[in-house]
Structure formats: C-alpha cells, structure tokens
Amino acid sequence: MEKDIMKFPIDLSALTAEEITQFEDDPLTLYTGEQDVALYLRYSSTGQSEQSIEGQLRDCRAFCKINHYRITAIYIDRATTARKDVEKRVHLMEMIADSAKQNWEYVIVWKLDRFARNRNDSAIMKMRLRKNGVKVLSATEHLSDNPEGILLESVLEGMAEFFSAELSQKVTRGMRESALKCHSVGGHVPLGYKIENHKLVVNPDTAHIVQEAFSLYANGESVADIARKFNAAGYRTAKNTEFNRSSFKVMFRNVRYIGTYTYKDIQIENGVPAIIDKELFEAVQRRLSKAAEAPARGKAKVDYLLSGKLFCGHCGASMNGESGVGRSGKVYHYYSCYTKKRKLGCEKRPLKKDYIEEIVAKDAFALLTDQLIDEIADMAIYQSEQDMINETRLPQLSTQLSEIEKSIANITAAIEKGIASETLMHRLVQLEHEKKSVEKEIKSEEKFVYRIDRDQIVFWLSQFKHGNIEDEDFRRRLIDLLVNSVTVWDEPDGYRITTAYNLTSCKTKTFRVEKNPAAEEATGFGFGESECAIGLKSEPYYIIYGTIFVQTKRHSLS
C-alpha cells in the first residue's frame, strides 16, 4: 500500500519531493509557533545545485523550531543570481508584494547573501519589507564577521529611505494638487466607476451591482448571502474575481458612493457622481455599527528594535520580543530569554522593551560625533569599492580596456612614424573591435553597481545629530546603523551590558546600569513601575558605574 500523502496547512508546491519529505518527517513548524514567518530560499546556477535548497530549508526549519516560529509561506527562486537583475527573481518580488498583507512578521533566509549580494538591492528590498512591518532574519548568521558590511548596508538602507521620503513629499504635493481638482490620483477604482479625463464617472455596466448590494444589506441580508447571489448571477468585483465576505468591507464604508471625493485628509462633497443616496448609505452604516460593537481581536504590531541583536549573558541564547497583560489590564512589552521561556534552566529576568532599547539607543547616540561620521563615510565608501572589486568584473574589464588602449596607442604611433603594414592595420582593426566589446561589457556591468557619494553620506548621517531619541523610528535607525549585538547579565542591583558595534574602531564596551526596571511582581507582568525611570528623566544620561571593560567575545545561538 502506497504511503499516504500528508496534507499540509500551506502550499508546498514550490518544493521538490525530497524537500517535502523534511516536513513529512517533522511538520511541527507548519502547525505551531508564537510568531508567523515566511522562508525565502534561493540558489544560483553557478557552482550550486538543487541540494542547496534542501540544505537551506533544513537549517531554516531548525532555526524556526528553536525560536518557535511558525512557517506560513515559502518562496523559492531556483537557478537565479542574487546580483543581476533582481526584478527577474519572480518569487522574491512575489514575497515583497505579499508582505503588504501582513500575514507574517519575519522573512527567514539561510544567509543574507541568499537574499541579495548587491547591498543596494538588499537595502531597497529590506526597506520595502520594513514599511510593511516585516524584518529579514538570517538562520545562520546571528552576528556578522564583517561589521563594516552591515554598516554599509544600514547606510544604504537609511539613505534610500531618507531620499525616498524626500521624493515622496514632492510627489505628495503634486497629488494633493490633483486631488483638490477631484482628479483620480491612481490606486483602486471602486466598483461602479470608471475613469474618464482623469475623473471618476459612473460605469453603467457595474453601478447597479453596488446599488443592489447596499439595498440588500440595508434590508437585512447577510454579506455571505449577498456574495452567493452575486456569484450565481455572474457578477464580479472590480478586480474581476468572485465575491466573498470581505468584498463588501470597503464597499459599504466608501463615501465616494454618495458623491464625496476623498484623498488622505481632503474631502470634497459632490466631487464625484453619486451612485447611492445618503439615506440608504446611512442605513447601511447603522447596521455596520451594530455588527462592529464586539471588541476587535487583532493584535497591534510592535517593532522590537533589538530583535536578532539582544542576547542573554548567562546562557548565550537570544532574547525575543514578547507581550503580556498585567494585573491592571495594561499590556507590557519586553524581551525574554529563549532558554528561560522553554524552562531549560536559565534564570535571566525579562527586560522591559522601552527600557533596554532606550539604553542602547542613547549609548549609540553618544558615539555619533563629527569624527565618527567622517569615519563611517570613509568606511562606507571603502566597503562599497571592495564590493565592486569582489562582486563585479569591473576591475578586470578596466584593466583589459587599459591594455587594449595602450596597444592601440602603440600601433597608432608606429603608423604615424611611417611604419605601416597590412599586419599592423589588421591588428589595429581587431583591437578597435575588442575595445568596443569590452566597453559594452563594462557598461552592462555598471548597471549593477551603485556608486555612493561621500558628501551625500555625511549629509544623511548629520541628520542623526539632531534626531529625537524619544522617537522610536529614530531609535530604530540608530540601532540598525551602529549596533551589532547587545548582551545582558542580571546583577543584584541592576544589569551588566556588553555592546558590540558595527565599527572596528569602536571597541566592544561593557558597562553597568543601576536599578531593576524589569523586576517581576508576585503575579503578572508588573515590572515594578517605580523602578522604570532609572534616573533617565532627571539625568542627561543613564547611570553608569564601575569600570568600562573591553571584550571581544560575542554570543550567538549554537
């Protein structure tokens, strides 16, 4: 009798039979986990084989099992280079698009170079994921052996985000001007409308569907029944798909159907032709309000800035972001030792999220002098040049072009002196062809090189000096840029903290902080409210005492 094929909760059709066997032998990571993640696996055609995906999958599954992540999606690009033409990596782009649905919190890759070898591409892709609330984690690189590489990627990512925001402001200004004229500014065209001369007009072929939907719902029909009726009648949504329950969520709240044009904070009555009268619209709103009286079950997204960087000094395990509700009903966010949470013997106390993030951010902020900014800029330029040397053929091609030009110059000089022969002329023509060919190769290779300007880097980094340390987004940028890892030990009267930086010149620093803001109360997640301030409000910096120790040892998961 043939072996029964196991049914899995997610689509594994991108995997080979051998790869699926891993989940058949141990499907735990598909069914249980405290945080949802997606896997992105890739192998290039050079020097690799299908077995590369099997190995990557095995390591990524082990990483997810250790950290109690549940795999909810898998994306694979096979026989595709990470450096050339990232847009052709179909499943990477599919994963980026799917991240907007916020079905998972992390993307797990085997190594960061599986995500993208070109740092500019990597920075852009990570920025797009971050805007959708998703982070990239490496299953095998808990700490980098090349902090300069991490720093360069952080610089590129931050600069891309900064200048993207600048461009976005200019684009937004233009779109606001269009909106004030009630012009369409792109995006989804609601069912029942079409665009003519940059404006929404009623589409007589589909407007009746909207009118029917509002009437049926106002008269007591359920959205499920409406969806069934519409599908049976052959009606389709604006995206030409069948109706389901969620098809009506946006429709029934859309004030454009009563003639109100909207764009962000702009609302203009009678800005578009109405499809629904206001009385019917209000009747639907009243029914929606009754249905929405039950409290929302969704969980707010929290950005744990030290995710993947914070480690327990006692056992070396990672400290992961958690949340819990205290006796008063207040929600607390904190980092807890993975080993302790699994009850494997470690007694490390949890750390309040805001507390440890503020300490780390302020420590990094204190480093950011004009001298360090110049050093970072120089380091970023140097690393960028090294990447060009190591990851492109430009140095070899440039040398080849130089030799060809030298040969052409020698032959030309000989001809000018009257030393002309059929052989020399033939060789000159051959060299001219070779020169054009090499120049074409250089031009093609340069498409994949991102050249950064030192003054631009200094300008961007200088913005940090005037940043608001209380702003979480600023803290995140600062930590991403400068902090490689943070290791924390409990002490009777506080904590000992070791910080490793993404700068070779900044020695690993160990310092102590007084008091214990994460002391657990008898029940719940009290953390001890009276102890959370640790003098931060009364002092310009947190209290440090004892000696500054230099350490080189870094902790990572085994």
Side-chain angles (χ1 to χ4, degrees), residues 246-354:
S246 62
S247 304
F248 303 97
K249 289 181 180 179
V250 176
M251 178 192 288
F252 288 155
R253 297 286 190 189
N254 195 339
V255 294
R256 290 181 181 178
Y257 288 128
I258 56 173
T260 302
Y261 178 92
T262 61
Y263 174 74
K264 294 190 174 180
D265 59 336
I266 296 173
Q267 284 201 344
I268 302 174
E269 290 192 18
N270 302 317
V272 294
I275 293 177
I276 304 297
D277 63 69
K278 291 184 178 180
E279 290 77 11
L280 177 57
F281 188 84
E282 289 302 325
V284 167
Q285 302 315 300
R286 286 193 293 271
R287 188 174 174 202
L288 288 174
S289 296
K290 290 181 180 179
E293 285 179 357
R297 292 178 296 175
K299 193 167 63 172
K301 291 280 183 181
V302 176
D303 190 7
Y304 290 91
L305 309 184
L306 292 172
S307 177
K309 295 176 182 279
L310 188 62
F311 297 90
C312 171
H314 302 282
C315 68
S318 63
M319 295 193 68
N320 303 322
E322 306 280 350
S323 64
V325 180
R327 294 176 300 179
S328 63
K330 180 180 178 180
V331 177
Y332 290 91
H333 301 288
Y334 57 97
Y335 291 93
S336 65
C337 171
Y338 174 82
T339 304
K340 180 179 181 181
K341 185 171 182 181
R342 301 288 165 248
K343 298 180 180 178
L344 299 177
C346 186
E347 293 301 322
K348 174 76 186 75
R349 295 190 297 262
L351 284 167
K352 193 173 182 182
K353 174 184 179 295
D354 292 341

Side-chain angles (χ1 to χ4, degrees), residues 9 20 22 27 65 88 113 117 128 160 165 198 212 226 236-237 268 272 274 293 328 337 375 400 414 416 483 528-529:
I20 291 175
Q22 293 187 30
K65 196 169 184 178
K88 291 183 180 179
D113 68 1
R117 285 201 184 98
R128 291 171 65 179
H198 306 293
E212 285 183 45
I226 298 173
R236 292 295 180 265
T237 68
I268 302 174
V272 294
E293 285 179 357
S328 63
C337 171
E375 181 185 338
Q400 188 177 345
E416 288 175 346
V483 178
E529 290 293 336

Side-chain angles (χ1 to χ4, degrees), residues 29-313:
T29 50
L30 295 179
Y31 291 91
T32 64
E34 295 166 7
Q35 291 168 299
D36 291 342
V37 302
L39 304 188
Y40 176 70
L41 313 173
R42 180 192 65 82
Y43 82 93
S44 63
S45 56
T46 306
Q48 295 180 351
S49 65
E50 286 282 352
Q51 284 74 24
S52 297
I53 295 293
E54 287 185 51
Q56 290 178 41
L57 178 63
R58 187 171 291 105
D59 289 343
C60 288
R61 286 179 58 253
F63 177 75
C64 290
K65 196 169 184 178
I66 288 172
N67 291 281
H68 215 58
Y69 295 150
R70 184 168 72 95
I71 300 169
T72 59
I74 300 177
Y75 301 86
I76 301 177
D77 280 312
R78 300 178 189 270
T80 308
T81 176
R83 183 171 60 81
K84 291 192 175 182
D85 208 350
V86 71
E87 297 297 329
K88 291 183 180 179
R89 291 165 63 190
V90 176
H91 298 292
L92 170 67
M93 305 314 295
E94 180 187 4
M95 182 264 290
I96 298 288
D98 287 350
S99 69
K101 301 173 186 176
Q102 297 186 329
N103 291 332
W104 21 267
E105 297 178 53
Y106 300 119
V107 172
I108 310 299
V109 296
W110 181 62
K111 292 180 69 174
L112 292 174
D113 68 1
R114 297 296 88 193
F115 186 65
R117 285 201 184 98
N118 180 298
R119 294 191 196 280
N120 187 49
D121 287 340
S122 178
I124 296 297
M125 294 299 133
K126 286 182 181 178
M127 183 184 74
R128 291 171 65 179
L129 286 170
R130 193 189 294 276
K131 286 185 175 180
N132 291 332
V134 176
K135 289 184 179 180
V136 178
L137 298 181
S138 169
T140 59
E141 300 166 307
H142 306 297
L143 292 173
S144 173
D145 292 328
N146 180 9
E148 288 84 355
I150 289 184
L151 184 140
L152 173 60
E153 193 165 307
S154 297
V155 167
L156 289 171
E157 182 182 347
M159 288 176 62
E161 196 167 357
F162 176 79
F163 290 110
S164 174
E166 289 279 288
L167 177 63
S168 176
Q169 288 179 1
K170 295 176 183 176
V171 171
T172 299
R173 282 197 295 271
M175 294 180 77
R176 284 184 67 84
E177 290 301 313
S178 296
L180 290 171
K181 300 173 184 175
C182 295
H183 285 180
S184 171
V185 290
H188 174 64
V189 178
L191 184 68
Y193 289 106
K194 58 183 178 179
I195 296 176
E196 290 182 359
N197 298 321
H198 306 293
K199 290 195 172 187
L200 288 175
V201 298
V202 175
N203 183 345
D205 295 331
T206 56
H208 68 93
I209 300 175
V210 177
Q211 293 167 341
E212 285 183 45
F214 272 84
S215 296
L216 289 170
Y217 191 74
N219 290 324
E221 293 273 5
S222 69
V223 290
D225 288 339
I226 298 173
R228 280 192 290 270
K229 287 182 179 181
F230 281 12
N231 291 333
Y235 295 165
R236 292 295 180 265
T237 68
K239 295 181 179 179
N240 199 33
T241 61
E242 289 193 344
F243 284 87
N244 55 46
R245 293 182 180 183
S246 62
S247 304
F248 303 97
K249 289 181 180 179
V250 176
M251 178 192 288
F252 288 155
R253 297 286 190 189
N254 195 339
V255 294
R256 290 181 181 178
Y257 288 128
I258 56 173
T260 302
Y261 178 92
T262 61
Y263 174 74
K264 294 190 174 180
D265 59 336
I266 296 173
Q267 284 201 344
I268 302 174
E269 290 192 18
N270 302 317
V272 294
I275 293 177
I276 304 297
D277 63 69
K278 291 184 178 180
E279 290 77 11
L280 177 57
F281 188 84
E282 289 302 325
V284 167
Q285 302 315 300
R286 286 193 293 271
R287 188 174 174 202
L288 288 174
S289 296
K290 290 181 180 179
E293 285 179 357
R297 292 178 296 175
K299 193 167 63 172
K301 291 280 183 181
V302 176
D303 190 7
Y304 290 91
L305 309 184
L306 292 172
S307 177
K309 295 176 182 279
L310 188 62
F311 297 90
C312 171

Side-chain angles (χ1 to χ4, degrees), residues 463-478:
Q463 309 303 305
F464 279 85
K465 292 174 63 178
H466 310 292
N468 178 13
I469 199 70
E470 302 300 326
D471 178 64
E472 185 170 78
D473 187 58
F474 175 71
R475 288 188 193 179
R476 186 260 298 172
R477 290 171 186 261
L478 199 59

